């Protein structure tokens, strides 16, 4: 499970429906061992993979990167060969290197937890589950993605997924991090789903000034009022408070799906793990 591009809409719906069954209490015991190797920071993805593994009664190991032999120069692939010899069956890996999995996915059982600016498949699947639960479909919806388009693997994976269901994905963001600029307030009323993205300062080549960001591209008391009836807003997290979304709207608005996304992450990752362990 390394990218959305190679998944069919049928495979995507299979994961979502399985995740919904897990949310409704389905129990599965996977008698396999798995290691989480996170070479980039994470809260949601790491902990929800760990929770999913515990729920499935998997044998789980977390590689502490700062104390691992990766720090002594061992390559990631040599680490995988040695962990397999020790008895690990599967690996959940996050790396800043785009498509790191391409050269060794055939030799090792890898689940991609995010690669650079390119792919974040489990995030797109949990976002799709959240949209599907709300609208009862992923077909023919209008989705607007707002923010740091240039550096976002979440945008890339969501776009890949939603186009398979004939939904429209438009985007806007400031110059330098998006090639389309429009005032959010002038178009927000057209969309069923508005996805806000984090400004990824750590990936920017030069320091940019985002003082006026919330006025033009952020969700605030004025822009939220313009949203279409029945529409929702989302954010993969972590949020830059009062930049992408003002603090008062972060957890307390009926259109807000941010914590539903976080919750669904556990069930989608249980569905992914079950699917992979059944097939490999
Ligand atoms: N959405 C997401 O990937 O969050 P983390 O970086 O905290 O895992």
């Amino acid at each position: 499970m390394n990218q959305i591009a190679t998944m069919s809409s049928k495979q995507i719906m299979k994961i979502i429906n399985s995740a919904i069954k897990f949310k409704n209490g389905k129990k599965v015991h996977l008698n396999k061992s798995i290691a989480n190797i996170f070479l980039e920071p994470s809260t949601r993805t790491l902990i929800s993979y760990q929770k999913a593994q515990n729920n499935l009664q998997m044998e789980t190991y977390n590689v502490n990167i700062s104390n691992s032999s990766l720090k002594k120069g061992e390559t990631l692939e040599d680490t995988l060969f040695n962990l397999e010899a020790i008895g690990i069956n599967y690996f959940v890996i996050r790396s800043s290197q785009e498509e790191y999995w391409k050269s060794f996915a055939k030799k090792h059982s890898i689940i991609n937890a995010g690669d650079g600016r390119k792919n974040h498949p489990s995030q797109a699947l949990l976002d799709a589950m959240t949209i599907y639960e709300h609208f009862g479909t992923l077909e023919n919806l209008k989705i607007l993605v707002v923010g740091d388009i240039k550096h976002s693997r979440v945008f890339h994976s969501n776009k890949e997924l939603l186009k398979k269901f004939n939904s429209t994905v438009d985007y806007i963001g400031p110059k330098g991090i998006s090639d389309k600029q429009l005032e959010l307030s002038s178009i927000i009323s057209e969309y069923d789903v508005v996805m806000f993205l984090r400004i990824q300062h750590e990936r920017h080549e030069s320091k940019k000034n985002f003082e006026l960001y919330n006025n033009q591209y952020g969700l605030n008391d004025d822009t939220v009022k313009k949203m279409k009836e029945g529409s929702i807003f989302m954010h993969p997290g972590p949020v830059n408070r009062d930049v992408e979304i003002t603090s008062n709207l972060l957890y307390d608005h009926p259109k807000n799906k941010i914590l539903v996304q976080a919750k669904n992450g556990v069930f989608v990752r249980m569905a992914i793990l079950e699917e992979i362990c059944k097939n490999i």
Side-chain angles (χ1 to χ4, degrees):
M1 188 77 59
N2 294 317
Q3 59 177 338
I4 294 293
T6 50
M7 290 181 81
S8 66
S9 54
K10 205 170 152 196
Q11 287 170 318
I12 290 166
M13 283 314 303
K14 190 174 171 200
I15 295 286
I16 291 173
N17 284 320
S18 165
I20 291 170
K21 284 192 188 136
F22 279 122
K23 197 172 182 177
N24 291 332
K26 178 181 146 184
K27 299 260 181 294
V28 169
H29 179 187
L30 296 179
N31 190 21
K32 303 281 183 188
S33 61
I34 190 157
N36 299 309
I37 304 178
F38 276 62
L39 300 151
E40 268 195 339
S42 169
T43 297
R44 277 146 290 269
T45 312
L46 174 60
I47 302 298
S48 61
Y49 261 119
Q50 287 174 356
K51 182 82 174 83
Q53 292 155 10
N54 287 337
N55 290 352
L56 295 166
Q57 298 178 52
M58 297 183 84
E59 195 184 304
T60 298
Y61 300 87
N62 296 302
V63 176
N64 180 343
I65 301 303
S66 57
N67 279 330
S68 75
S69 290
L70 287 156
K71 284 282 170 207
K72 300 183 210 162
E74 186 170 51
T75 66
L76 181 55
E77 188 166 22
D78 288 339
T79 300
L80 301 188
F81 275 121
N82 281 276
L83 291 179
E84 279 165 351
I86 290 167
I88 304 296
N89 307 120
Y90 299 93
F91 303 97
V92 178
I93 302 177
R94 171 173 283 191
S95 169
S96 58
Q97 192 190 322
E98 287 175 15
E99 299 183 329
Y100 68 85
W101 43 269
K102 269 206 164 157
S103 59
F104 46 73
K106 282 202 173 83
K107 287 180 263 172
H108 309 279
S109 300
I110 294 166
I111 299 165
N112 182 12
D115 60 287
R117 299 184 293 181
K118 205 80 186 196
N119 300 284
H120 197 342
S122 61
Q123 180 71 45
L125 288 163
L126 76 87
D127 289 345
M129 175 183 175
T130 307
I131 295 169
Y132 183 76
E133 280 183 325
H134 183 81
F135 292 99
T137 182
L138 293 174
E139 308 268 348
N140 301 313
L141 296 169
K142 280 196 80 179
I143 288 107
L144 178 67
V145 188
V146 187
D148 195 345
I149 304 298
K150 184 176 169 188
H151 301 97
S152 178
R153 56 191 172 213
V154 176
F155 171 67
H156 184 250
S157 288
N158 265 297
K159 191 164 169 248
E160 290 281 356
L161 190 153
L162 291 160
K163 77 181 183 196
K164 292 177 195 282
F165 294 89
N166 295 319
S167 280
T168 310
V169 181
D170 294 333
Y171 64 90
I172 56 169
K175 260 198 187 127
I177 56 174
S178 165
D179 58 13
K180 276 190 202 158
Q181 286 82 43
L182 280 171
E183 286 263 341
L184 176 63
S185 63
S186 67
I187 57 168
I188 196 166
S189 62
E190 295 168 31
Y191 293 92
D192 301 301
V193 179
V194 187
M195 264 183 208
F196 294 90
L197 299 176
R198 181 174 71 88
I199 301 173
Q200 301 194 38
H201 296 282
E202 73 280 13
R203 295 195 204 277
H204 295 183
E205 283 123 35
S206 59
K207 201 168 157 48
K208 296 178 177 60
N209 184 345
F210 292 108
E211 250 173 51
L212 299 175
Y213 185 96
N214 188 264
N215 286 342
Q216 224 183 326
Y217 296 105
L219 195 72
N220 53 43
D221 287 334
D222 291 333
T223 41
V224 80
K225 278 192 204 122
K226 294 186 173 145
M227 286 185 73
K228 187 176 171 179
E229 200 183 323
S231 64
I232 57 172
F233 67 86
M234 305 169 73
H235 193 305
V239 174
N240 290 304
R241 269 176 178 255
D242 299 313
V243 180
E244 295 108 25
I245 299 179
T246 51
S247 290
N248 63 318
L249 298 173
L250 254 190
Y251 298 119
D252 247 355
H253 193 279
K255 291 185 181 298
N256 184 333
K257 294 287 179 187
I258 295 172
L259 294 183
V260 182
Q261 289 171 271
K263 182 173 182 166
N264 285 346
V266 176
F267 304 113
V268 154
R269 287 169 179 131
M270 288 172 79
I272 291 171
L273 291 166
E274 187 192 25
E275 186 63 19
I276 298 228
C277 293
K278 258 189 346 208
N279 290 325
I280 306 174

